[in-house]
Amino acid sequence: HYRLVSGTATPSPPRTANMSALRLTILAATIAYASALQGTCEVCHLHYYHKDVSHAETWGSDVSICKEYEHEACCTKDTVKKIDKNSKLYGDYDLEACGLSSECKKYFIEESCFYECDRNVGKWRKHVDCDDAGEDNGWEIKGMPIKASYWDAWYEACKDDYFAWGTGGTYWDIPTYTTDSYKGTGAKNTKTAYTSCSKFGDTYKNGTMVAEVMWGGSFTYEKDESKAYAMTFPEGTANPNNALFTDKEYPRECAGHEVNLTHPGVDINGVRVSYTEVACPVDWHTQPNAGVSDRSSRGTLTCDSGLDSAKKELVSGTKCKASGTTCPATCKTLLDEVEVECFGMEFTYTPVGGTETYGKWNTDKLAWYNAADAERVLAKKEDACDDIIDQFILAATPSPAGIIRAPLMAIMGFVVAALLVIA
């Protein structure tokens, strides 16, 4: 992002003005090219089947639901396929125990897509520290406003369908009442398959009850639809939910669920991938909408000592000492280890009750790399390994500067040299 500052300008000499124009042309073209390649990444803040960070997915033609979230998803293809498989994403919660029309089932699928895929749901996590009376609960949400018209349509689509509800009347009562002890006389997936089968419209009288009773307080029935989320939207369009409640803070990151900011995604084979592999901007974690928040209370981290020893090795050790024009592989390994150990962590963090000190590695690492590089220069240790260090400096430089820095500097170097020759 750039900000123009008004003021009195001194006319530039023609040659300088031409350089400025060329520089702006190159900058604009490079930013436009880089932006076309980048996706969006935001921390998800829920912990069920969710990824750490939402980013673009490629699900292919064998996936027919949740497609609207494919460009920025907190869910994986594997999760989406489970949503579509007999509505049994959550184990024994069998929605179709008493039979289910396709018109009604559609709404339950859309709710599952919304909950698992839309990163905005994480803003409404119920437990700030994922602590529910000593139990780890990072999945539950509370009071998220959804458009009233959607709940009304849901009620109309399902009111004549049968469900095996329990006495509590919430979605979570289903498994207790679909056991063999409640077997009815009818065929499987019919309204007499279980003795507990009852009409949806007899349990919930209107859209308000569908919203606020069936989901146990997770959602609300919001009549002012300008202040309400949409559970679905047309595929290929921007997520309208991203424009809502932009001032609402994300909850604190929970102990045991720390987000790896350098490697935000996990593919369906369980392999963690870097942000560049999922087309996220280099500085995605510094953006206001990224959802990167304070860490939950936990024991002191010791990233500081790891950084100190790494800097000493970088400046005076052998791991980043080149032989002629060849830098040993140990140099990149050293810096990769620093990234893995420290990136996304605080330099120091004391438990609640003490003085909490924040010094986030993800915002301060550029200064660390530059300081280490400067110490190498001061110690006259410059060699071929500087190219490796420059790669890490480049990756740490905020986008779009981080993306354009090297090519732009190289281009401008040639331009300056050419103009000096002309002069």
Side-chain angles (χ1 to χ4, degrees):
H1 301 284
Y2 291 90
R3 183 174 60 188
L4 298 177
V5 181
S6 60
T8 303
T10 302
S12 300
R15 191 168 290 148
T16 305
N18 290 338
M19 277 187 63
S20 298
L22 178 59
R23 183 182 290 111
L24 289 172
T25 300
I26 295 170
L27 178 63
T30 310
I31 291 173
Y33 175 73
S35 297
L37 297 178
Q38 293 178 350
T40 58
C41 280
E42 295 87 15
V43 178
C44 295
H45 287 289
L46 289 182
H47 311 292
Y48 206 89
Y49 292 113
H50 301 78
K51 298 183 299 190
D52 288 345
V53 175
S54 72
H55 57 71
E57 290 272 344
T58 304
W59 292 335
S61 58
D62 58 329
V63 171
S64 60
I65 62 171
C66 309
K67 295 285 283 185
E68 64 267 40
Y69 297 103
E70 195 169 10
H71 67 288
E72 50 172 28
C74 281
C75 54
T76 64
K77 179 178 180 179
D78 187 53
T79 297
V80 171
K81 292 181 77 171
K82 287 178 180 175
I83 291 173
D84 201 24
K85 187 178 181 182
N86 300 321
S87 302
K88 291 182 180 178
L89 178 63
Y90 307 111
D92 293 330
Y93 291 81
D94 188 359
L95 283 171
E96 300 182 75
C98 304
L100 189 64
S101 68
S102 59
E103 293 81 8
C104 177
K105 181 179 178 180
K106 160 181 120 63
Y107 287 90
F108 286 94
I109 288 177
E110 288 173 355
E111 188 279 336
S112 293
C113 289
F114 175 69
Y115 172 78
E116 296 291 345
C117 302
D118 196 317
R119 51 101 172 175
N120 293 285
V121 184
K123 281 189 174 183
W124 302 84
R125 197 179 70 215
K126 182 176 181 179
H127 302 287
V128 175
D129 291 314
C130 299
D131 185 350
D132 184 4
E135 297 293 326
D136 186 17
N137 182 345
W139 59 266
E140 196 171 356
I141 62 174
K142 182 180 180 180
M144 188 173 191
I146 306 296
K147 293 181 178 182
S149 60
Y150 186 83
W151 296 116
D152 292 338
W154 191 332
Y155 171 76
E156 289 297 326
C158 295
K159 64 182 181 181
D160 293 324
D161 282 80
Y162 283 76
F163 289 80
W165 299 126
T167 54
T170 73
Y171 181 96
W172 316 113
D173 292 310
I174 296 173
T176 303
Y177 289 85
T178 56
T179 60
D180 286 342
S181 59
Y182 288 88
K183 271 289 186 182
T185 58
K188 181 180 179 181
N189 300 132
T190 67
K191 65 182 181 181
T192 55
Y194 291 91
T195 58
S196 59
C197 290
S198 58
K199 188 179 286 190
F200 186 91
D202 290 340
T203 303
Y204 309 113
K205 305 300 183 182
N206 49 46
T208 304
M209 291 187 71
V210 176
E212 300 179 0
V213 177
M214 184 169 75
W215 295 105
S218 296
F219 303 113
T220 63
Y221 180 92
E222 181 54 61
K223 293 181 180 179
D224 183 352
E225 299 202 347
S226 67
K227 298 178 181 178
Y229 291 96
M231 275 201 180
T232 187
F233 51 93
E235 179 185 347
T237 63
N239 186 345
N241 297 327
N242 293 346
L244 296 175
F245 297 93
T246 54
D247 294 333
K248 182 176 174 62
E249 293 185 2
Y250 284 92
R252 195 159 60 187
E253 188 172 292
C254 296
H257 298 288
E258 290 82 3
V259 177
N260 186 326
L261 298 177
T262 52
H263 293 75
V266 180
D267 71 12
I268 60 174
N269 296 316
V271 179
R272 190 169 285 277
V273 297
S274 69
Y275 58 78
T276 54
E277 292 175 279
V278 291
C280 297
V282 170
D283 65 342
W284 72 268
H285 52 280
T286 68
Q287 299 304 307
N289 65 343
V292 176
S293 57
D294 296 337
R295 305 275 167 162
S296 178
S297 173
R298 59 175 185 261
T300 302
L301 298 174
T302 57
C303 191
D304 302 48
S305 60
L307 289 172
D308 290 341
S309 60
K311 185 184 288 185
K312 289 177 182 176
E313 180 63 42
L314 196 66
V315 175
S316 56
T318 59
K319 291 183 178 180
C320 284
K321 184 177 181 179
S323 175
T325 59
T326 303
C327 180
T330 51
C331 188
K332 184 176 184 301
T333 300
L334 172 68
L335 295 175
D336 280 337
E337 288 173 350
V338 170
E339 290 275 342
V340 171
E341 179 183 354
C342 299
F343 196 77
M345 294 183 177
E346 297 83 356
F347 281 92
T348 55
Y349 200 115
T350 56
V352 167
T355 302
E356 296 179 350
T357 304
Y358 299 88
K360 284 192 170 56
W361 173 239
N362 57 296
T363 55
D364 291 348
K365 76 165 187 169
L366 176 60
W368 185 86
Y369 280 131
N370 280 325
D373 191 41
E375 287 189 28
R376 279 175 61 89
V377 173
L378 193 63
K380 301 185 184 304
K381 298 290 184 178
E382 298 169 281
D383 57 25
C385 286
D386 291 344
D387 291 340
I388 301 298
I389 298 170
D390 284 345
Q391 290 176 18
F392 281 81
I393 291 176
L394 181 64
T397 304
S399 175
I403 299 170
I404 67 173
R405 179 182 175 205
L408 181 58
M409 292 306 295
I411 292 169
M412 291 312 302
F414 286 121
V415 172
V416 171
L419 290 172
L420 287 173
V421 170
I422 293 170

